[in-house]
Amino acid sequence: MKAQSSRFGAPALAVLLLFSGLSLAAVDLRPALPHLEARGSYDAQHLLLLYSTLPRMVTALIAGAALALSGTILQQVLRNPLASPTTLGVSAGANLALVSVMLAFPSLTGWGRDAVALGGSAAAAFAIFSISARHGFSPFSLILSGMIIGLWCGAAAAILILMNDQYLSGIFIWGAGSLSQQSWSIPTSLLPKVALLAALALIATRPLALSQLGDAGATSLGLPIKWARGLIMAIAIALSALVTSAVGVIGFIGLVAPQIVRLAGATRALSQLIWSPIAGAGLLLLTDEAIKLLAPGDFVPTGAVTALLGGPILIALLPRLATASRALPGMASPRLVFGNRAAASLALLLLSVVALAIAAIFFGRATDGAWVWLPATSWEEILPLRLPRVAAAFGAGTVLGVTGLILQRLTGNEMASPEVLGVSAGATLGVAAAMFAFSAPGLTVQLAFAGGGALAVLLLIFLLSARSGFGPNRVLLAGIAFGAILDAGIGVLAAGGDPRGLALIRWMAGSTYFVDNTVAVSALSIALACLVAAFLASRWLALLQIGPETASELGLRIAPARAVLFGLSAIMTAAATLVVGPLSFIGLMAPHLAHGLGLRRPSIQLLAAALIGAILLVIADWAGRMIAFPYQVPAGLISALVGAPMLLIVLRRRP
């Protein structure tokens, strides 16, 4: 009886989701049905129903089914319960490619648009698989590299959008996943393509089933596993790219729908291929109809809401992902620097900071674009503009470098940083709340809200990771999941058409353009205070690294020490995020460069990471002001474009 109920559980649940979505759609359609028979006269409700409401419902069904089918294929081929177009960064790659080409060819439609999306998805997939191949396509490396690719693609797309303001609102809303329609062109063009790929997926049922046996087992039964896996993966990538091309990035449907039918009893490849698309279609339609009923008249991107719903499910699924705890190889560099050599390294870093700060202030471009040193006659006019920006970048870089080192030692993971763990996203959500709660929030209010948001994320990560014994990989994935949820929430706030939302988008890019003397002095003061506090806590960092049992025996109170360090990290992240936004990756890069110098002791590493962070952000701010002169690229995005590839390099080198 139990086997029979399990057999019919997946079909029943999939049909129930579809029926629920259709029922809610019927409630939405009921007021417009009397206008369906309008003839001979202009009827706005009739046109709205025929060319907007109905096409949107059909698009939701098709897109939901396609994404669920793509996620099912990815999870089966990779044998990874967290694989999906969103978590693997495939959708983000398609989005970046489309944004890049649409800025040059805004009228691109049809097969050309689909080809661009396919190319972007394929490039992202190639980057992810080339990194994960060194780790045997382990679940952790696949998901982490996919999410890093997604962050990098998002930063690159943001730079393109911010440098082309005339397309800002439209491209941002589309990229957030909009199902709004004005005709039947998208559903009628999307349906045959998805149907063809679905038919190919059904034909590939046997190779999918054999791939579950592993490479050796499938090969022994006559399946050329590499070719089969490549072709099946191509189907999944194409499904995701087509949906992204049509409606933007719809997050987490490809993760949630396959998990629902699998938990309901669909264990065979064929049953998953059949019932996952039905569940995905119903789930996306249900979500979209709920958005329209709960927020009538307000535009809320469906893709952002699905990410809000899917993030908690990703967190709930983390215990099913086998991850291993391990020590930080970067913290145990074989080349150690002591005594005079350590002092020499710090002195060299300090001289570099001073030299680069002077160059950033006095060296740049003149009004005609020529490279010049600032003449003394222009100091009074130019220095009040440049000096606060350089000072703020210096302070923020210092704080981020120290925060990154603290988080890496606390979590035991060399890839931890405020950006990767979602702490910066928490600070950003706090700033967004302050902007929407107060008409003109001051610096103190923004800092308080940002600190509260960052601390809340750290506490959630701490509580969730405590159940797994603070396994480094679990901590990292939990932080990434929280970051995805918060980023989606910020997207919902920013896409509503409110001017504060557009201001939030610009602020998130991390520009120092509006920094004044007050912000600069505050950034330097907070940096100095936090650096002193972190230096005083350096002994705690050293003891925590050798293990909680040994640290307790040596007199360290573990819980209070962790609480203080987490609180300090939250304050520093909040302060830095106010200056350079949430995506700088300075907190990742600076500690690794300090490790590369062979500096071993926590106190010495803290000073080195602070100086290196200042150097990196001062360079990023200067480059953002100069490389596209007279336009300016935000320093946060410049450093993110460098930081994300560095994170991938670190992941590739992990054993």
Side-chain angles (χ1 to χ4, degrees):
M1 181 65 72
K2 184 177 180 180
Q4 187 174 4
S5 62
S6 176
R7 177 182 177 185
F8 292 103
L13 187 56
V15 172
L16 178 62
L17 282 172
L18 182 60
F19 178 76
S20 300
L22 293 174
S23 299
L24 205 57
V27 174
D28 184 26
L29 286 173
R30 186 176 300 170
L33 288 178
H35 301 271
L36 189 59
E37 299 296 330
R39 293 287 188 274
S41 61
Y42 174 79
D43 188 333
Q45 290 297 325
H46 171 75
L47 295 175
L48 186 65
L49 172 65
L50 194 60
Y51 294 106
S52 180
T53 305
L54 290 176
R56 177 169 179 164
M57 293 177 179
V58 175
T59 302
L61 290 170
I62 299 171
L67 290 172
L69 181 58
S70 176
T72 300
I73 294 172
L74 291 172
Q75 290 178 18
Q76 290 188 21
V77 172
L78 298 174
R79 289 179 288 176
N80 186 339
L82 299 187
S84 75
T86 304
T87 54
L88 291 182
V90 177
S91 296
N95 180 52
L96 174 60
L98 285 167
V99 168
S100 304
V101 176
M102 285 170 61
L103 291 173
F105 305 98
S107 60
L108 185 69
T109 58
W111 288 102
R113 187 181 176 114
D114 293 340
V116 171
L118 285 169
S121 294
F126 177 79
I128 293 163
F129 295 146
S130 64
I131 295 169
S132 301
R134 288 179 57 89
H135 308 281
F137 296 98
S138 70
F140 173 76
S141 64
L142 276 170
I143 299 304
L144 184 59
S145 58
M147 289 190 167
I148 296 168
I149 291 291
L151 287 173
W152 188 89
C153 290
I159 288 178
L160 294 176
I161 292 173
L162 290 173
M163 293 182 68
N164 295 269
D165 288 349
Q166 63 271 33
Y167 301 115
L168 177 62
S169 297
I171 292 180
F172 179 82
I173 292 172
W174 167 81
S178 171
L179 293 175
S180 297
Q181 303 296 319
Q182 287 79 43
S183 70
W184 284 92
S185 60
I186 287 181
T188 53
S189 64
L190 188 60
L191 179 59
K193 302 169 188 173
V194 171
L196 175 61
L197 292 171
L200 293 175
L202 289 175
I203 294 173
T205 301
R206 183 175 182 273
L208 269 176
L210 292 179
S211 67
Q212 303 297 306
L213 302 175
D215 291 5
T219 303
S220 65
L221 294 175
L223 178 68
I225 187 64
K226 291 185 179 180
W227 285 99
R229 181 180 288 140
L231 292 175
I232 297 170
M233 290 287 294
I235 295 174
I237 292 171
L239 284 166
S240 170
L242 289 173
V243 172
T244 304
S245 172
V247 297
V249 178
I250 304 290
F252 289 99
I253 294 294
L255 170 70
V256 176
Q259 288 293 335
I260 288 176
V261 299
R262 187 178 295 110
L263 293 175
T267 56
R268 298 177 59 188
L270 180 60
S271 61
Q272 292 176 15
L273 289 176
I274 293 174
W275 300 115
S276 289
I278 295 175
L283 189 60
L284 186 55
L285 179 62
L286 182 64
T287 304
D288 191 49
E289 292 300 324
I291 292 170
K292 291 194 291 183
L293 290 176
L294 295 175
D298 295 330
F299 178 80
V300 179
T302 306
V305 175
T306 58
L308 283 174
L309 298 175
I313 296 176
L314 175 59
I315 293 172
L317 291 173
L318 286 181
R320 301 183 61 191
L321 188 66
T323 59
S325 301
R326 63 191 199 87
L328 276 75
M331 297 297 183
S333 173
R335 184 174 60 88
L336 307 181
V337 178
F338 300 98
N340 294 333
R341 293 187 61 188
S345 298
L346 291 176
L348 181 61
L349 289 175
L350 183 60
L351 290 175
S352 300
V353 168
V354 174
L356 288 170
I358 293 174
I361 295 171
F362 292 98
F363 185 67
R365 294 199 180 192
T367 55
D368 59 355
W371 294 94
V372 296
W373 286 92
L374 185 67
T377 55
S378 301
W379 286 10
E380 185 176 354
E381 179 183 0
I382 302 300
L383 287 184
L385 300 176
R386 291 185 181 177
L387 186 58
R389 296 183 61 169
V390 174
F394 176 89
T398 299
V399 165
L400 286 172
V402 172
T403 307
L405 184 60
I406 291 176
L407 290 177
Q408 287 179 17
R409 285 182 169 269
L410 276 176
T411 61
N413 196 310
E414 77 273 17
M415 287 182 289
S417 73
E419 304 87 355
V420 178
L421 290 182
V423 184
S424 295
T428 303
L429 191 62
V431 173
M435 292 176 66
F436 281 83
F438 301 93
S439 57
L443 181 62
T444 304
V445 173
Q446 291 184 38
L447 182 61
F449 273 75
L455 184 59
V457 171
L458 280 171
L459 288 175
L460 288 172
I461 295 172
F462 182 87
L463 294 174
L464 184 67
S465 304
R467 300 177 59 186
S468 63
F470 297 97
N473 293 340
R474 288 277 170 77
V475 172
L476 202 62
L477 288 175
I480 289 173
F482 280 119
I485 297 171
L486 294 170
D487 286 339
I490 293 166
V492 171
L493 291 175
D498 193 303
R500 292 170 296 184
L502 296 179
L504 181 63
I505 298 173
R506 292 183 175 277
W507 174 82
M508 287 171 61
S511 175
T512 58
Y513 186 80
F514 296 106
V515 167
D516 55 17
N517 290 328
T518 302
V519 175
V521 171
S522 300
L524 289 174
S525 301
I526 293 173
L528 178 61
C530 291
L531 182 60
V532 171
F535 187 80
L536 293 176
S538 60
R539 180 176 178 273
W540 297 355
L541 292 174
L543 292 177
L544 286 171
Q545 187 183 353
I546 63 179
E549 295 82 6
T550 306
S552 298
E553 293 175 359
L554 293 175
L556 179 65
R557 298 175 62 186
I558 303 298
R562 279 178 172 160
V564 170
L565 289 171
F566 273 127
L568 183 62
S569 298
I571 294 172
M572 291 191 290
T573 301
T577 303
L578 288 176
V579 177
V580 293
L583 279 178
S584 66
F585 284 101
I586 296 295
L588 168 77
M589 293 186 286
H592 278 284
L593 293 176
H595 300 157
L597 292 175
L599 303 176
R600 182 73 171 86
R601 292 173 53 191
S603 57
I604 301 299
Q605 284 184 345
L606 282 170
L607 292 175
L611 293 173
I612 292 173
I615 290 172
L616 292 175
L617 203 50
V618 167
I619 293 175
D621 180 66
W622 178 85
R625 288 187 279 123
M626 299 302 166
I627 59 176
F629 185 85
Y631 302 101
Q632 299 195 35
V633 181
L637 293 180
I638 290 288
S639 56
L641 289 178
V642 178
M646 180 176 179
L647 188 54
L648 291 174
I649 292 172
V650 173
L651 178 61
R652 184 178 175 84
R653 290 179 176 177
R654 296 183 78 185

